[in-house]
């Protein structure tokens, strides 16, 4: 007879804890989504279902600008971060071990080690000076800052995918007259693609909802979606904020779901 | 013709260095089915990987058609490998896998498709050309791996234990097919295995390896009949060893009068006398033979014959076969006293190895 493993679901109260946790996580989000469809003027007072606040949000130029900025930042930062993460993952898992490989891991994971607020303040001080010297005030700073903390998130799924890949496949390719580059293009890269896509989408979502670094690094007048929502909350609490939050939620869920589907079907 | 000259491979350096291959010399003939046979860790796979170009030799030469290829990278060597794990590209179809080597080599695209069709026809996989490798059985993957390695028309095909993952029945069938294919193509095959039956049934010649050195290179028949040493005798088939001494061309075995030797007259001193179990005769024989007395220790029925283990008077154990013919009046019993004859012609005198002189 097989030995019985410890099963946490048999602990008294396990179901209750799980239930409460689930409610605590999802009920507030659900309330937010419901409120986004509230037709009334005052947030929190239900006056019938309506799409009016979604319409108002889409009509709001400040929101549209912030959304566009967020999209530009997220796409750019995720693209650069994924590119760098792919190269880093290949470097540490293919060929001879690089000298100081441990150091590379520390640098890569810096954003996971250093508290975000510390990093943000440090960046603010340096970038304020840089903005003064160069006169450039654009989104480039935010993109660069987001890239740094996107790298570890992009790196992890790519490295996991590489680690699970059979090295014999690359050997077989070389045996069949393929050069290193041809092997990379026709064997390694296609097999790595699901990992790269997963890394990109993770990085994209992480960048999309960042508040702390964005607030400290952005130039005056610049807003990303999260910083716009923060400032709006201080001024007027209409259901428009719920509508915008709901839109952000849908976008985020779609991206994560899409990445999940892509990685699943490729395997 | 592939000429392996003093090829050696050392992993690591200094006192901790491991000599995977110690100066190997073999000449592999054109169109030969050549097998590297030995237990795991004997260096056979290292040698194969060196011929493929995946390992750099520490010394020696690999001369193919008069050119030393030892330092040429694998993608520039006219040899292809069938891997133990098949290593089919999972994101490609059967046809794309088979076309890979041709495309990577820059073959004219108009010639790729006909060659792929031709080779898939040869391995009987044409009907599955659009399948992905993950949707195929082990035997089918095996055939695709073979087709992929053959498609670019290599000078030599290397096979790294390609049948070890298949079940027994399929393995027997693939052994036969590989042998037939090799004959039809007239291509040189270098086959690595640890399975002596596989090596005996398929090969033209076998190189028996152990501890990074060559023990013997010979045809299956002559390996079996004339093993060069105790390792080869034990690794290929079953063998009995009896301690003996040779003085003045006469063999002294404990428990029998000295007999003059017909062959191996050069040996002298302490020797090991080897005889295959099936060559031991129960009872007397008309041939010139040594007769020994013993007692039946165990009997194992195995269909066509019974495996008999005999405890000789001098204490050593002797294995022999007793055929189960229907008219065999002499059914053996446990503990029964038995006289056996060892025909002199069937005896092989091997140098006595001093207790593992490694």
């Amino acid at each position: 007879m097989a030995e019985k493993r410890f099963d946490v679901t048999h602990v008294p109260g396990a179901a209750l804890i799980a239930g409460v946790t689930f409610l605590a996580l999802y009920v507030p989000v659900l309330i937010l989504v419901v409120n986004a469809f509230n037709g009334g003027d005052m947030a929190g007072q239900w006056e019938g279902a309506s799409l009016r606040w979604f319409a108002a949000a889409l009509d709001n130029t400040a929101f549209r600008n912030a959304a566009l900025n967020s999209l530009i930042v997220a796409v750019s930062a995720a693209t650069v971060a994924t590119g760098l993460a792919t190269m880093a993952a290949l470097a540490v898992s293919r060929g001879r071990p690089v000298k100081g490989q441990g150091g590379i891991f520390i640098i890569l994971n810096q954003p996971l080690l250093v508290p975000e607020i510390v990093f943000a303040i440090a960046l603010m001080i340096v970038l304020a000076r840089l903005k003064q010297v160069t006169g450039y005030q654009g989104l480039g700073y935010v993109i660069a800052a987001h890239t740094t903390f996107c790298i570890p998130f992009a790196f992890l799924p790519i490295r996991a995918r590489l680690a699970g890949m059979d090295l014999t496949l690359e050997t077989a390719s070389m045996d069949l007259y393929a050069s290193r580059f041809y092997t990379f293009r026709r064997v390694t890269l296609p097999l790595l693609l699901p990992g790269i896509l997963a890394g990109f989408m993770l990085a994209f979502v992480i960048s999309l909802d960042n508040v702390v670094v964005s607030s400290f690094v952005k130039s005056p007048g610049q807003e990303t979606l999260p910083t716009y929502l923060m400032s709006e909350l201080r001024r007027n609490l209409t259901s428009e904020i719920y509508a915008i939050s709901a839109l952000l939620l849908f976008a985020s869920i779609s991206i994560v779901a899409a990445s999940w589907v892509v990685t699943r079907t490729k395997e | 013709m592939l000429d392996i000259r003093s090829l050696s491979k050392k992993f690591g350096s200094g006192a901790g260095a491991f000599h995977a291959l110690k100066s190997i010399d073999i000449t592999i003939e054109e169109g030969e089915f050549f097998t590297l046979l030995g237990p795991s860790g004997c260096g056979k796979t290292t040698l194969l990987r060196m011929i493929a170009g995946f390992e750099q030799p520490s010394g020696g030469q690999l001369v193919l058609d008069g050119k030393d290829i030892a330092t040429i990278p694998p993608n520039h060597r006219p040899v292809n490998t069938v891997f133990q794990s098949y290593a089919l590209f999972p994101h490609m179809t059967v046809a794309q896998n088979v076309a890979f080597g041709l495309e990577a080599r820059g073959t004219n695209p108009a010639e790729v498709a006909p060659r792929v069709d031709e080779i898939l026809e040869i391995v009987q996989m044409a009907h599955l050309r659009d399948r992905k490798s993950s949707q195929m059985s082990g035997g089918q993957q095996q055939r695709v791996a073979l087709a992929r390695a053959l498609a670019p028309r290599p000078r030599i095909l290397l096979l790294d234990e390609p049948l070890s993952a298949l079940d027994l029945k399929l393995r027997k069938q693939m052994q036969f097919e590989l042998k037939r294919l090799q004959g039809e193509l007239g291509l040189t095959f270098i086959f690595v295995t640890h399975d002596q039956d596989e090596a005996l049934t398929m090969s033209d010649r076998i190189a028996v390896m152990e501890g990074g050195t060559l023990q013997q290179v010979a045809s299956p028949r002559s390996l079996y009949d004339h093993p060069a040493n105790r390792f080869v005798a034990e690794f290929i088939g079953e063998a009995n060893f009896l301690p003996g001494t040779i003085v003045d061309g006469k063999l002294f075995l404990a428990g029998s009068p000295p007999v003059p030797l017909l062959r191996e007259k050069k040996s002298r001193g302490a020797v090991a006398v080897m005889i295959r179990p099936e060559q031991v005769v129960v009872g007397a024989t008309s041939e010139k033979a040594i007769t020994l007395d013993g007692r039946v220790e165990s009997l194992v029925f195995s269909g066509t014959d019974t495996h008999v283990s005999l405890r000789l008077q001098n204490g050593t154990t002797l294995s022999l076969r007793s055929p189960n013919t229907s008219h065999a009046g002499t059914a053996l019993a446990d503990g029964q006293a038995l006289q056996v004859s060892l025909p002199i012609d069937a005896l092989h005198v091997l140098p006595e190895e001093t207790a593992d002189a490694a």
Side-chain angles (χ1 to χ4, degrees):
Chain A
M1 209 175 88
E3 212 173 303
K4 247 192 171 169
R5 285 198 314 169
F6 173 71
D7 188 350
V8 78
T9 57
H10 289 155
V11 175
L16 184 73
I17 294 172
V20 170
T21 309
F22 190 79
L23 290 178
L25 281 174
Y26 287 99
V27 165
V29 178
L30 199 67
I31 290 171
L32 177 142
V33 174
V34 170
N35 270 296
F37 291 95
N38 185 3
D41 280 333
M42 285 291 287
Q45 273 182 320
W46 184 258
E47 287 175 36
S50 157
L51 288 176
R52 113 172 223 228
W53 293 112
F54 285 97
L58 294 176
D59 213 30
N60 178 344
T61 324
F63 161 69
R64 288 214 308 261
N65 285 340
L68 186 65
N69 278 346
S70 267
L71 198 66
I72 292 170
V73 169
V75 168
S76 317
T79 306
V80 177
T82 308
L84 293 173
T86 306
M87 288 192 272
L90 283 168
V92 297
S93 53
R94 288 289 184 273
R96 294 157 203 279
V98 188
K99 231 183 186 177
Q101 194 147 313
I104 293 178
F105 280 114
I106 292 177
I107 293 171
L108 278 171
N109 291 321
Q110 177 270 350
L112 305 179
L113 300 172
V114 179
E116 197 182 359
I117 187 74
V118 176
F119 180 56
I121 292 171
L123 270 183
M124 183 185 69
I125 298 167
V126 174
L127 292 184
R129 200 54 200 246
L130 206 61
K131 284 177 192 174
Q132 226 173 38
V133 174
T134 59
Y136 172 68
Q137 302 271 329
L139 274 177
Y141 300 110
V142 183
I143 293 173
H146 278 213
T147 303
T148 59
F149 64 74
C150 281
I151 289 173
F153 292 99
F155 178 77
L156 291 174
I158 296 171
R159 179 165 160 77
R161 183 85 190 174
L162 261 180
M165 203 187 287
D166 182 5
L167 265 176
T168 323
L169 294 176
E170 287 165 33
T171 308
S173 169
M174 302 282 274
D175 184 59
L176 292 161
Y177 311 103
S179 63
R180 275 184 186 283
F181 180 68
Y182 193 86
T183 299
F184 178 73
R185 193 165 64 78
R186 293 228 25 214
V187 179
T188 317
L189 193 60
L191 290 172
L192 196 55
L193 209 56
I196 293 177
L197 277 174
F200 176 84
M201 288 179 186
L202 207 56
F204 183 88
V205 170
I206 293 287
S207 163
L208 198 64
D209 79 354
N210 182 273
V211 181
V212 178
V213 171
S214 298
S215 323
F216 282 76
V217 168
K218 72 189 176 68
S219 305
Q222 267 174 8
E223 296 289 0
T224 63
L225 210 43
T227 62
Y228 169 74
L229 281 176
M230 289 280 285
S231 60
E232 278 299 286
L233 274 175
R234 267 183 242 123
R235 278 184 284 164
N236 47 354
L237 200 63
T238 64
S239 294
E240 189 180 336
I241 288 181
Y242 291 128
I244 292 172
S245 303
L247 286 174
L248 198 55
L249 178 71
F250 296 146
S252 194
I253 289 176
S254 323
I255 289 165
V256 173
S259 105
W260 189 74
V261 168
V262 167
T263 352
R264 288 281 293 205
T265 49
K266 285 274 180 170
E267 262 159 24
Chain B
M1 190 179 90
L2 179 70
D3 214 357
I4 300 167
R5 293 182 192 158
S6 324
L7 204 68
S8 66
K9 178 70 185 178
K10 195 172 74 172
F11 290 105
S13 58
F18 169 66
H19 292 266
L21 287 180
K22 299 167 190 161
S23 190
I24 301 285
D25 286 283
I26 311 175
T27 300
I28 297 169
E29 302 294 340
E30 204 62 49
E32 194 173 23
F33 197 119
F34 193 90
T35 297
L36 301 172
L37 174 68
S40 57
C42 71
K44 57 189 193 298
T45 298
T46 305
L47 180 55
L48 193 82
R49 289 176 60 81
M50 238 181 258
I51 298 170
F54 309 143
E55 304 274 3
Q56 288 290 312
S58 309
Q61 291 176 305
L62 270 173
V63 181
L64 178 63
D65 303 329
K67 207 174 103 190
D68 184 8
I69 59 165
T71 53
I72 295 178
N75 52 331
H76 293 295
R77 293 190 191 197
V79 298
N80 291 139
T81 309
V82 177
F83 293 87
Q84 187 171 12
S85 61
Y86 314 138
L88 296 177
F89 304 125
H91 57 300
M92 296 183 195
T93 63
V94 166
Q96 286 167 336
N97 263 286
V98 176
F100 189 91
L102 298 165
E103 288 167 356
R105 201 183 215 183
T107 309
N108 180 358
E111 290 166 24
V112 172
R115 177 65 180 160
V116 170
D117 290 341
E118 179 194 359
I119 207 81
L120 283 177
E121 208 60 60
I122 291 176
V123 299
Q124 296 153 34
M125 287 295 293
H127 59 296
L128 295 177
R129 54 173 298 134
D130 296 319
R131 281 273 183 94
K132 288 265 170 80
S133 62
S134 52
Q135 303 163 320
M136 292 189 298
S137 70
Q140 291 168 335
Q141 292 188 34
Q142 166 74 70
R143 286 162 191 272
V144 177
L146 193 60
R148 185 179 68 175
L150 287 172
R153 301 179 205 274
R155 283 280 290 108
I156 299 176
L157 188 74
L158 308 176
L159 303 107
D160 184 10
E161 307 212 20
L163 308 179
S164 59
L166 304 179
D167 62 55
L168 186 67
K169 198 176 156 213
L170 198 55
R171 191 155 74 223
K172 292 279 174 211
Q173 185 193 337
M174 283 305 293
Q175 282 176 10
F176 175 76
E177 279 192 41
L178 269 181
K179 181 68 189 156
R180 179 185 58 84
L181 195 63
Q182 188 264 339
E184 279 174 16
L185 297 171
L187 184 63
T188 310
F189 275 33
I190 302 179
F191 187 91
V192 161
T193 185
H194 62 264
D195 182 335
Q196 48 124 339
D197 285 331
E198 201 164 275
L200 289 177
T201 51
M202 299 172 79
S203 320
D204 294 323
R205 278 196 307 154
I206 299 171
V208 181
M209 296 178 70
E210 160 66 1
T213 57
L214 272 186
Q215 299 296 314
Q216 191 174 4
V217 182
S219 69
R221 181 92 222 182
S222 97
L223 274 184
Y224 190 81
D225 288 345
H226 306 289
N229 57 38
R230 195 170 174 138
F231 177 83
V232 175
E234 276 183 316
F235 199 75
I236 311 274
E238 260 188 272
N240 291 302
F241 296 96
L242 301 168
T245 317
I246 293 181
V247 179
D248 296 334
K250 287 202 176 77
L251 172 65
F252 290 79
L253 272 184
S256 92
V259 284
L261 281 173
L262 305 174
R263 289 182 282 126
E264 289 127 349
K265 285 179 178 156
K266 285 167 289 173
S267 316
R268 62 185 62 232
V271 293
V273 176
M274 192 278 279
I275 183 164
R276 300 286 182 193
E278 69 273 16
Q279 289 172 322
V280 177
V281 180
V282 176
T285 172
S286 56
E287 290 176 78
K288 252 179 144 28
I290 296 172
T291 47
L292 295 169
D293 290 305
R295 199 163 282 281
V296 173
E297 204 170 52
S298 75
L299 294 165
V300 178
F301 175 77
S302 83
T304 53
D305 52 19
T306 298
H307 294 203
V308 183
S309 182
L310 198 69
R311 173 74 70 181
L312 296 178
Q313 275 173 349
N314 63 22
T316 50
T317 318
L318 192 74
S319 300
L320 56 125
R321 304 276 182 269
S322 165
N324 293 328
T325 41
S326 55
H327 53 274
T330 55
L332 295 168
D334 260 345
Q336 176 191 339
L338 193 67
Q339 191 181 57
V340 292
S341 304
L342 316 182
I344 306 257
D345 272 343
L347 298 180
H348 299 277
V349 175
L350 301 172
E352 182 60 271
E353 282 151 46
T354 44
D356 284 334

